[in-house]
Amino acid sequence: MALVEVSNKRVILKKYLTAWEIGLLGDEMEVVTAEAVPLSVPAGSSAVLVKNLYISCDPYLRNRMIRHEVVTSHGVMKVISSGHLDFKADDLVWGMTGWEEYTLINNPESLFKINYPEFPLSNYTGVLGMHGRTAYVGFFEMSKPKKSEYVFVSLACGAIGQIVGQLAKIKNCYVVDSAGFDEKVNLLKTKFGFDDAFNYKEPDLEAALKRCFPEGIDIDFENVGGAILNAVLPNMRLGGRITMCGMISQYHLERPDGVRNLMYIIMKRLRMEGFVIFDSITVYRQFEEEMAGYLREGKVTYVEDIVQGLDAAPAPLIGIYNGRNVGK
Amino acid sequence: MALVEVSNKRVILKKYLTAWEIGLLGDEMEVVTAEAVPLSVPAGSSAVLVKNLYISCDPYLRNRMIRHEVVTSHGVMKVISSGHLDFKADDLVWGMTGWEEYTLINNPESLFKINYPEFPLSNYTGVLGMHGRTAYVGFFEMSKPKKSEYVFVSLACGAIGQIVGQLAKIKNCYVVDSAGFDEKVNLLKTKFGFDDAFNYKEPDLEAALKRCFPEGIDIDFENVGGAILNAVLPNMRLGGRITMCGMISQYHLERPDGVRNLMYIIMKRLRMEGFVIFDSITVYRQFEEEMAGYLREGKVTYVEDIVQGLDAAPAPLIGIYNGRNVGK
């Protein structure tokens, strides 16, 4: 028997953040070396001990950083020791974990097996993991697209938006996207083959949408909220669907922006629906197989930023809120 | 052959109203005697000439008063002359018509036959007509109620709201309503048997809803919009449905109120959906039979205000926007 205990480096929150406190400044997190962890699960436990290989850095984390503890997110992990019948040592899995080297996971039912290890494992923090599933469920199940419909993705440079836009192209939809920097706007058009794109810092968003969608919008995959959502509403077509996935423009506001154009929900018979991917686990295998196929055929491409080591983990999270990143 | 032409008194708009112009003041409409109309449909036409018996006075009319012409609404009519195979003289019908004595209806496919003339015919401008259908479709089809759910009707003293609340009681739901005057608040609790009610002029609507719905709201049947909708959102339960039927608080505003709490659509996985009853004609016979049954059994009661004569027609429409009326 080799090493039975290891030290465990982790990222913890130094400061509590209130729910609507101003965005991340950079001094909220620190990297510490916590007490050593045993390398096997406690006797009789059905938990799983994992070594964290990749952790994910996402806008939604901001909403979770309200308790003074280790930062959590989803990640890709290797099972080190298992008390659960469905898992054994060396299994590759993904799911919620901690920003630390080793994590004891007490609800291993929440973990997903990695069935296509031939892809870069980091893909399971994104296109083959939570973001891919969010895009897949949010677009195919929630938005109920029909062939050739008009689709707007308000944050197509983000981890989820880039996949939604590509799924919409697979469905032969007309896809327009917006981003906050001109270089991203160009990336969307060229790299992902979207039909049009604009900078959401344009002063008249309603006119920009009207220009890009002279026929109106059937599906709005909404990840921004606020002013862009307000501008989308009058541009929706009769019977359109607004799938509410996120509101990155609003998370840091103590007093969120008011959306004035809700009258169009009645006038245009719109459906606006919110969802959180954690609610839906049934379609995972179908999603994983289908998305793996799209990746193999090159129908979906995926941009990832990867940083090495836990010490480097906080910086990109802060960057997300400043609009610096492209893709995942 | 008797009289072949009659004079035709009608209510017309004197002034154009822009879409968001301030509410009705009373000088927008005038009653005139238009040129005489022949008492039979033109030869070869498939139109239907009707004598208008009852016309309906509703908040939605405000949005239609943007052209300089006879005011239109739905009403109850007797067929005088028919060029259409489905209709003959003396048939009782309801549907869209003009605020005038006689109307030539060029699309008689839009008319509904009155199958239960034993009820007061005026009921077909309301509980057995458009408002009843709106309540029925909006509650049963759109809001998908389950037994014992928590239902909020924001304008339960209105023509549609009073029916929705009673349908919700038939479905064994817990029903809370709001109204703008204390006497109406009491009427809702006593006459219609709702479980609780409050005055929507209370300063803290969010607290009022929390008090009435400590467990939260499953279904919001929304007819008011603005501040009350904003207060409803944080009080919704997971998976709740907001059925958007109208926004009477907003029609007269050039700049509608901003709704800030849309984040809850995601956090609570809500569905917010708008509808207009004109889209749905399929369930009419099923609705009419079911609602006639509820009326006979006393499970639904209905409050109507009736005024006599076209000269008196404009006043109650103005009254609606001042919150003076109870019921239809």
Side-chain angles (χ1 to χ4, degrees):
Chain A
M1 184 125 179
L3 201 62
V4 292
E5 259 192 15
V6 287
S7 72
N8 194 18
K9 199 185 271 192
R10 47 180 20 189
V11 180
I12 63 164
L13 274 179
K14 277 192 298 189
K15 298 203 289 194
Y16 289 59
L17 296 177
T18 60
W20 303 114
E21 208 169 338
I22 197 161
L24 299 175
L25 298 171
D27 63 345
E28 294 87 354
M29 293 169 271
E30 67 180 339
V31 181
V32 300
T33 298
E35 57 187 68
V37 290
L39 273 186
S40 57
V41 298
S45 152
S46 62
V48 163
L49 178 76
V50 298
K51 177 159 175 52
N52 294 308
L53 306 179
Y54 294 93
I55 54 173
S56 183
C57 192
D58 299 288
Y60 78 89
L61 294 185
R62 173 63 190 80
N63 290 339
R64 302 170 64 93
M65 295 170 78
I66 52 175
R67 284 189 302 273
H68 190 177
E69 56 189 23
V70 66
V71 176
T72 57
S73 72
H74 59 283
V76 171
M77 300 85 84
K78 187 160 87 171
V79 175
I80 300 295
S81 163
S82 172
H84 195 284
L85 284 175
D86 292 350
F87 300 93
K88 59 182 192 308
D90 293 331
D91 277 354
L92 291 167
V93 296
W94 72 271
M96 288 304 291
T97 190
W99 283 28
E100 56 194 342
E101 292 174 285
Y102 295 90
T103 303
L104 186 70
I105 293 176
N106 288 310
N107 56 338
E109 305 75 22
S110 69
L111 299 175
F112 297 95
K113 292 261 181 74
I114 289 179
N115 296 299
Y116 300 96
E118 63 269 30
F119 291 104
L121 286 181
S122 59
N123 279 187
Y124 278 89
T125 66
V127 65
L128 286 168
M130 199 193 75
H131 300 96
R133 284 183 63 226
T134 303
Y136 184 91
V137 171
F139 186 65
F140 289 122
E141 288 187 27
M142 305 283 296
S143 309
K144 302 205 185 339
K146 300 184 198 74
K147 205 173 166 240
S148 308
E149 282 195 321
Y150 295 93
V151 176
F152 176 56
V153 184
S154 57
L155 195 68
C157 54
I160 295 167
Q162 60 172 293
I163 308 173
V164 171
Q166 293 179 83
L167 294 179
K169 286 313 299 174
I170 291 170
K171 190 88 186 171
N172 277 105
C173 291
Y174 186 88
V175 179
V176 177
D177 305 274
S178 66
F181 294 96
D182 287 341
E183 59 269 37
K184 288 190 190 180
V185 171
N186 292 330
L187 175 75
L188 298 176
K189 282 207 251 192
T190 53
K191 183 166 180 68
F192 296 132
F194 299 154
D195 298 284
D196 208 345
F198 64 94
N199 189 323
Y200 62 67
K201 290 173 184 159
E202 278 198 29
D204 188 343
L205 292 173
E206 209 175 310
L209 284 162
K210 182 86 195 153
R211 185 181 72 229
C212 293
F213 289 105
E215 308 284 328
I217 303 169
D218 293 297
I219 294 173
D220 170 39
F221 194 89
E222 190 56 55
N223 252 319
V224 176
I228 189 95
L229 175 58
N230 199 52
V232 159
L233 283 159
N235 280 292
M236 291 297 289
R237 300 180 87 188
L238 217 61
R241 289 131 273 153
I242 299 176
T243 298
M244 305 278 273
C245 177
M247 285 200 175
I248 198 173
S249 72
Q250 305 294 300
Y251 295 142
H252 63 290
L253 302 177
E254 192 175 353
R255 183 170 158 82
D257 295 332
V259 172
R260 298 183 189 278
N261 284 330
L262 294 181
M263 188 89 76
Y264 289 94
I265 293 180
I266 302 171
M267 290 160 64
K268 304 283 186 82
R269 292 75 153 154
L270 306 179
R271 192 183 69 220
M272 186 188 272
E273 196 163 4
F275 84 111
V276 174
I277 194 61
F278 301 112
D279 300 337
S280 159
I281 61 162
T282 50
V283 298
Y284 177 67
R285 283 292 290 130
Q286 176 194 328
F287 148 74
E288 189 191 23
E289 188 182 327
E290 201 170 317
M291 188 63 81
Y294 294 145
L295 288 167
R296 261 186 231 108
E297 297 161 33
K299 286 186 178 167
V300 169
T301 58
Y302 197 64
V303 179
E304 286 178 334
D305 273 350
I306 300 178
V307 298
Q308 292 286 339
L310 274 174
D311 297 296
L317 183 57
I318 296 158
I320 284 179
Y321 292 96
N322 298 327
R324 289 205 212 103
N325 68 309
V326 172
K328 166 70 184 155
Chain B
M1 183 125 179
L3 200 62
V4 293
E5 260 192 15
V6 286
S7 71
N8 194 17
K9 199 183 270 191
R10 49 182 15 191
V11 180
I12 63 164
L13 274 180
K14 277 193 298 189
K15 298 203 288 193
Y16 289 59
L17 297 175
T18 60
W20 302 113
E21 209 168 336
I22 197 161
L24 299 174
L25 297 171
D27 63 345
E28 294 87 354
M29 293 170 271
E30 67 180 340
V31 181
V32 299
T33 298
E35 55 188 66
V37 289
L39 273 185
S40 58
V41 298
S45 152
S46 63
V48 163
L49 178 77
V50 297
K51 178 160 175 53
N52 295 307
L53 307 179
Y54 294 94
I55 53 173
S56 183
C57 192
D58 298 289
Y60 78 88
L61 295 185
R62 174 63 190 79
N63 290 338
R64 302 170 64 93
M65 295 171 78
I66 52 174
R67 285 189 301 273
H68 190 177
E69 56 189 23
V70 66
V71 176
T72 56
S73 72
H74 60 284
V76 171
M77 300 85 83
K78 187 159 86 171
V79 175
I80 300 294
S81 164
S82 171
H84 195 284
L85 284 174
D86 292 350
F87 300 94
K88 60 182 191 307
D90 293 331
D91 276 355
L92 291 167
V93 297
W94 71 272
M96 288 305 290
T97 191
W99 284 28
E100 57 193 343
E101 292 174 285
Y102 296 89
T103 303
L104 186 70
I105 293 177
N106 288 310
N107 56 338
E109 304 76 22
S110 70
L111 298 174
F112 297 96
K113 292 262 182 74
I114 289 180
N115 296 299
Y116 299 97
E118 63 269 33
F119 291 104
L121 287 181
S122 59
N123 279 187
Y124 278 90
T125 67
V127 66
L128 286 167
M130 200 193 75
H131 301 96
R133 284 184 62 226
T134 303
Y136 184 90
V137 171
F139 186 65
F140 289 123
E141 288 186 26
M142 306 282 297
S143 309
K144 302 206 184 338
K146 298 183 199 74
K147 205 172 166 241
S148 308
E149 282 196 320
Y150 296 93
V151 175
F152 176 56
V153 184
S154 56
L155 195 68
C157 54
I160 295 166
Q162 60 171 294
I163 308 172
V164 170
Q166 293 178 83
L167 294 179
K169 286 313 299 175
I170 291 170
K171 190 87 187 173
N172 277 105
C173 292
Y174 187 88
V175 179
V176 177
D177 304 273
S178 66
F181 294 96
D182 286 342
E183 60 269 37
K184 288 190 189 179
V185 171
N186 292 329
L187 176 75
L188 299 176
K189 281 206 250 194
T190 53
K191 183 167 180 68
F192 297 132
F194 299 154
D195 298 284
D196 208 345
F198 65 94
N199 190 321
Y200 63 68
K201 290 173 184 161
E202 277 198 32
D204 188 344
L205 292 172
E206 208 175 311
L209 285 162
K210 183 87 196 154
R211 184 181 73 228
C212 293
F213 290 106
E215 308 285 328
I217 302 168
D218 293 297
I219 294 174
D220 169 39
F221 193 90
E222 189 57 55
N223 253 319
V224 176
I228 189 96
L229 175 59
N230 198 53
V232 159
L233 283 159
N235 279 292
M236 291 298 289
R237 301 180 87 189
L238 215 62
R241 288 130 273 154
I242 298 176
T243 297
M244 304 279 274
C245 177
M247 284 201 175
I248 198 173
S249 72
Q250 305 294 300
Y251 296 143
H252 63 290
L253 301 177
E254 192 176 353
R255 184 170 159 82
D257 294 331
V259 172
R260 298 183 188 278
N261 284 331
L262 294 180
M263 188 89 77
Y264 289 94
I265 294 180
I266 302 172
M267 290 160 63
K268 303 284 187 81
R269 292 76 152 155
L270 306 179
R271 192 183 69 220
M272 186 188 271
E273 194 162 6
F275 83 112
V276 174
I277 194 61
F278 302 113
D279 299 337
S280 158
I281 61 163
T282 49
V283 297
Y284 178 67
R285 283 292 290 132
Q286 176 193 328
F287 149 74
E288 189 191 23
E289 188 182 328
E290 200 169 318
M291 188 63 80
Y294 295 145
L295 289 167
R296 262 187 231 108
E297 297 161 33
K299 286 185 178 166
V300 169
T301 58
Y302 197 63
V303 178
E304 285 178 335
D305 273 351
I306 299 179
V307 298
Q308 291 286 339
L310 274 175
D311 297 297
L317 183 57
I318 296 158
I320 285 179
Y321 292 96
N322 298 327
R324 289 204 211 105
N325 68 309
V326 172
K328 165 70 184 155

